[in-house]
Amino acid sequence: MVIGDGVLTPAISVFSAVSGLELSMSKEHHQYAVIPITCFILVCLFALQHYGTHRVGFLFAPVVLTWLLCISALGLYNMIHWNPHVYKALSPYYMFKFLKKTKKGGWMSLGGILLCITGSEAMFADLGHFSYAAIQTAFTFLVYPALILAYMGQAAYLSQHHHTSYHISFYVSVPESVRWPVLVIAILASVVGSQAIISGTFSIINQSQSLGCFPRVKVIHTSDKIHGQIYIPEINWVLMILCITVTIGFRDTKHMGNASGLAVMTVMLVTTCLMSLVIILCWNKPPAVALSFLLFFGSIELLYFSASLTKFTEGAWLPILLALFLMTIMFVWHYATIKKYEFDLHNKVSLEWLLALGPSLGVARVPGIGLVFTDLTSGIPANFSRFVTNLPAYHRILVFVCVKSVPVPFVPPAERYLVGRVGPAAHRSYRCIVRYGYRDVHQDIDSFETELVARLADFIRYDWHRSQHTSPYAEDDASHSNESSSERRLAVIGTVTFSGTPGYGIEESVEPASVSIGFSTVESVTDVIEMQAVGAGAVERRVRFAIDDDDSESDGQTKMYVQLEEELRDLMTAQEAGTAFILGHTHVETKQGSSILKRLAINFGYNFLRRNCRGPDVALKVPPISLLEVGMVYVV
């Protein structure tokens, strides 16, 4: 419904602002001028999106401030000039009196009254630009008083002119001498208001695709400083086409208003229901508090929602149609994604199979780092076994990379990487789970590769140091071979410094605030630990594949030190040789005997979306020269 609102709000905002021309030209001219002007403004609005709001954002505040002061002044003028006693209408007594007198007619009119509060549902998009306190202060002390004055002014005018033949609109109450300046300011304000809901649409689609609920689309961050400012080209042009279609199709604010009202009310009603769950699950409040919240706000919103549904045949059908279409796309994509994961889980290869590969089977190890991307957090993915079967060679350093989106807004950089071994140290195979929140900005491939190698080096130092304290040197090989039959435990590698004696402590229990606990990214890992800097604070640094000379003189004779130095040297050599990215190129089809609905959803719906959205290699920005794709057929 928010995405549908992103279609309706720009259309009705610009159209209603431009409709002020009807009082300044004849009906014949007005009929053929409003639609083209509205469409032209909408095209310009969406064409400028790729520049980002930070380039023109400095104009937003003056425009909105001028608009709020303008409607406040007009409201005060109309109150003083036509009916100074209209302020009494602020009393709730008149609301009950109105509903009691009009009964069903008054209830049905609530669907139109909704337009007074449209726009407030997009306030979440402002959090990408401003703080909570800034939004609360501006709304309480500026926006709300300005709106109240404007509506009271219009009420004062209508109290003296409700018998006239004039069409009831905002511009009727504007004095003729200032009508043109007000028209220009209104159009500019409508553009700014439309920008807010467009940004909100981009934001919610970006978060949906991070959670695997929307096909992959290109997300461009238009600001280097503010991560909330994003632009999605495909969605931008689809919104523009739909906005122009709605404008040309409806041609009047009544139908657009009915459609927008239902969309806004549905958003608010769903938000209230979800908020009651937040009160219980996140805030740990008693269920009675959540129930009271739901009953109080839900009953009010249900009243407005039911009134909006009565306008179904008069335009309110559009947001329902858009919502059903979008929900179908999201459901099909999410369902197929889950089925693919289940297929991977069922067809993963055992660790023993990987360890058995060697020269005796004609499988060679080649220089470089091989990053095998998979959704699995344990085991060997089927696409890697297929790769080795068809091309009997793999890289000297092998890393199984799993990029996971966890249901939190941000993951601290110190908790982003979980690193562990796959098999014994001599095999040079590792597993790395990289966790992002749904509002995190994903790294570009160069910085990701550098950071990943840095974390591997940190883990290698940590793992050998841990082995030194848990087993005698002589028993090192035995201890590692015993652990080779199962997945080694993963360590959360943060920004810690390793020089000389490693400065870290081991925490056997992770704090509840950590994202390492409570999410499915580590559901198959038997033991997860964290490393924290002790003494000096954590520092950012480049990885240096070197050991202090003093340490080498004192410990260079030990077997463990030699193995540690050798493993770090192998990692450095592999990085210099180059990195290959191994990804699965998938085709999904249904099993024999599947239902018609499932065949339609998977064979046609999902595969159509997969072919026409961005592939994982494009999303990860993998250079084509470093890409190896493995064809896989998923039968679900």
Side-chain angles (χ1 to χ4, degrees):
M1 280 294 180
V2 172
I3 299 171
D5 196 25
V7 173
L8 295 165
T9 296
I12 190 174
S13 298
V14 177
F15 186 88
S16 59
V18 176
S19 64
L21 293 171
E22 66 181 339
L23 299 179
S24 304
M25 58 176 61
S26 63
K27 185 176 181 180
E28 292 77 13
H29 292 147
H30 166 261
Q31 185 178 357
Y32 297 104
V34 172
I35 301 295
I37 292 174
T38 301
C39 292
F40 174 76
I41 293 173
L42 288 173
V43 169
C44 293
L45 171 64
F46 285 99
L48 294 173
Q49 290 298 313
H50 72 280
Y51 289 108
T53 53
H54 68 286
R55 297 184 186 273
V56 291
F58 68 94
L59 295 173
F60 287 3
V63 168
V64 174
L65 184 61
T66 304
W67 171 247
L68 292 175
L69 293 177
C70 174
I71 61 176
S72 301
L74 290 172
L76 283 171
Y77 168 80
N78 285 321
M79 285 173 59
I80 296 170
H81 192 264
W82 300 111
N83 189 349
H85 301 289
V86 74
Y87 70 89
K88 295 179 181 179
L90 289 174
S91 171
Y93 166 77
Y94 293 98
M95 176 181 68
F96 292 109
K97 188 176 181 181
F98 167 77
L99 291 174
K100 183 178 180 181
K101 183 177 181 179
T102 54
K103 296 180 181 177
K104 185 179 179 181
W107 165 68
M108 294 181 66
S109 70
L110 294 177
I113 294 172
L114 269 176
L115 297 179
C116 297
I117 57 173
T118 52
S120 56
E121 79 285 352
M123 235 179 246
F124 73 93
D126 299 330
L127 293 174
H129 306 259
F130 308 105
S131 64
Y132 292 98
I135 296 173
Q136 292 168 344
T137 303
F139 188 83
T140 305
F141 297 104
L142 182 61
V143 178
Y144 183 73
L147 292 175
I148 292 297
L149 287 173
Y151 287 128
M152 284 200 298
Q154 291 179 57
Y157 178 88
L158 290 174
S159 68
Q160 304 297 326
H161 298 85
H162 60 280
H163 293 300
T164 62
S165 59
Y166 284 113
H167 179 66
I168 296 177
S169 72
F170 166 74
Y171 291 101
V172 174
S173 62
V174 178
E176 191 171 351
S177 58
V178 296
R179 194 166 288 165
W180 279 103
V182 170
L183 176 66
V184 173
I185 297 172
I187 293 174
L188 293 175
S190 69
V191 169
V192 175
S194 301
Q195 179 62 54
I197 191 62
I198 293 171
S199 298
T201 304
F202 291 159
S203 176
I204 204 166
I205 287 176
N206 181 43
Q207 295 179 23
S208 297
Q209 76 163 354
S210 296
L211 296 173
C213 298
F214 200 87
R216 288 183 294 267
V217 290
K218 183 179 183 179
V219 178
I220 299 173
H221 293 267
T222 58
S223 174
D224 296 331
K225 298 178 180 178
I226 304 175
H227 295 320
Q229 298 184 8
I230 59 175
Y231 166 67
I232 305 178
E234 300 97 321
I235 302 301
N236 182 68
W237 301 120
V238 170
L239 287 179
M240 186 192 76
I241 293 171
L242 291 176
C243 276
I244 293 174
T245 303
V246 168
T247 303
I248 297 174
F250 281 156
R251 292 176 173 265
D252 67 86
T253 54
K254 178 184 175 183
H255 287 79
M256 291 185 196
N258 292 336
S260 180
L262 182 61
V264 170
M265 208 62 250
T266 308
V267 170
M268 292 185 173
L269 188 59
V270 173
T271 302
T272 299
C273 295
L274 295 178
M275 190 64 196
S276 61
L277 294 178
V278 170
I279 292 173
I280 297 176
L281 301 177
C282 299
W283 296 355
N284 297 318
K285 300 293 183 183
V289 176
L291 184 62
S292 302
F293 173 87
L294 182 63
L295 290 176
F296 179 75
F297 288 101
S299 57
I300 298 173
E301 290 165 353
L302 273 177
L303 192 64
Y304 281 90
F305 179 73
S306 59
S308 299
L309 284 177
T310 62
K311 313 288 185 181
F312 181 83
T313 57
E314 300 176 23
W317 55 269
L318 181 61
I320 296 177
L321 183 65
L322 287 173
L324 288 175
F325 177 72
L326 289 166
M327 280 182 65
T328 302
I329 290 176
M330 296 171 75
F331 175 77
V332 167
W333 184 265
H334 188 60
Y335 175 77
T337 302
I338 291 174
K339 288 298 180 182
K340 281 177 58 182
Y341 178 77
E342 291 175 352
F343 181 90
D344 279 335
L345 206 61
H346 186 262
N347 291 276
K348 65 181 180 180
V349 183
S350 67
L351 183 61
E352 286 73 13
W353 174 88
L354 175 66
L355 299 179
L357 296 176
S360 60
L361 298 177
V363 179
R365 300 292 290 268
V366 298
I369 300 176
L371 301 182
V372 182
F373 284 82
T374 174
D375 290 329
L376 299 178
T377 56
S378 66
I380 311 302
N383 62 350
F384 180 73
S385 65
R386 185 176 178 84
F387 170 76
V388 175
T389 302
N390 289 276
L391 184 66
Y394 60 97
H395 297 81
R396 181 66 183 129
I397 301 295
L398 188 64
V399 186
F400 296 97
V401 181
C402 176
V403 179
K404 285 287 186 181
S405 289
V406 293
V408 294
F410 300 101
V411 174
E415 295 188 14
R416 190 173 306 286
Y417 291 86
L418 278 87
V419 185
R421 291 193 188 279
V422 178
H427 199 269
R428 301 294 191 262
S429 297
Y430 311 90
R431 183 178 307 282
C432 180
I433 299 176
V434 188
R435 298 174 295 181
Y436 290 99
Y438 55 82
R439 293 185 66 182
D440 272 325
V441 179
H442 289 225
Q443 298 163 286
D444 63 81
I445 202 66
D446 292 330
S447 63
F448 171 75
E449 180 185 343
T450 304
E451 186 80 3
L452 180 61
V453 173
R455 296 294 176 251
L456 285 175
D458 283 347
F459 170 76
I460 290 168
R461 291 187 178 94
Y462 154 73
D463 191 56
W464 284 105
H465 181 81
R466 181 183 63 84
S467 300
Q468 181 183 13
H469 286 274
T470 56
S471 62
Y473 300 143
E475 299 175 0
D476 179 72
D477 289 339
S479 66
H480 279 76
S481 62
N482 290 336
E483 290 180 301
S484 67
S485 60
S486 62
E487 291 279 345
R488 298 283 302 279
R489 62 180 182 174
L490 303 185
V492 180
I493 306 297
T495 50
V496 297
T497 306
F498 289 86
S499 61
T501 303
Y504 55 77
I506 301 176
E507 291 189 356
E508 293 299 335
S509 61
V510 182
E511 292 296 324
S514 169
V515 298
S516 302
I517 296 299
F519 300 114
S520 59
T521 56
V522 292
E523 60 189 357
S524 57
V525 182
T526 56
D527 190 12
V528 177
I529 66 170
E530 294 215 17
M531 297 163 45
Q532 291 185 345
V534 175
V539 296
E540 293 288 343
R541 80 282 177 266
R542 293 180 180 274
V543 174
R544 299 178 59 196
F545 299 96
I547 308 296
D548 290 348
D549 293 337
D550 294 338
D551 290 339
S552 64
E553 291 176 1
S554 59
D555 301 329
Q557 301 303 316
T558 65
K559 182 179 180 181
M560 180 170 291
Y561 173 79
V562 173
Q563 291 175 329
L564 166 60
E565 189 177 22
E566 181 183 356
E567 188 169 2
L568 288 175
R569 188 180 296 111
D570 286 347
L571 183 61
M572 177 184 66
T573 305
Q575 186 183 25
E576 292 173 350
T579 302
F581 299 82
I582 304 171
L583 282 77
H585 186 83
T586 61
H587 175 76
V588 185
E589 58 184 40
T590 54
K591 299 176 183 177
Q592 291 290 335
S594 299
S595 64
I596 297 177
L597 194 61
K598 184 176 180 179
R599 291 204 298 269
L600 284 174
I602 300 296
N603 295 347
F604 296 98
Y606 176 77
N607 284 318
F608 175 80
L609 292 172
R610 182 187 56 81
R611 287 192 300 269
N612 290 278
C613 73
R614 291 162 60 81
D617 57 318
V618 180
L620 292 168
K621 300 178 182 178
V622 176
I625 196 171
S626 304
L627 175 64
L628 288 170
E629 287 191 299
V630 183
M632 285 288 295
V633 177
Y634 287 74
V635 182
V636 298

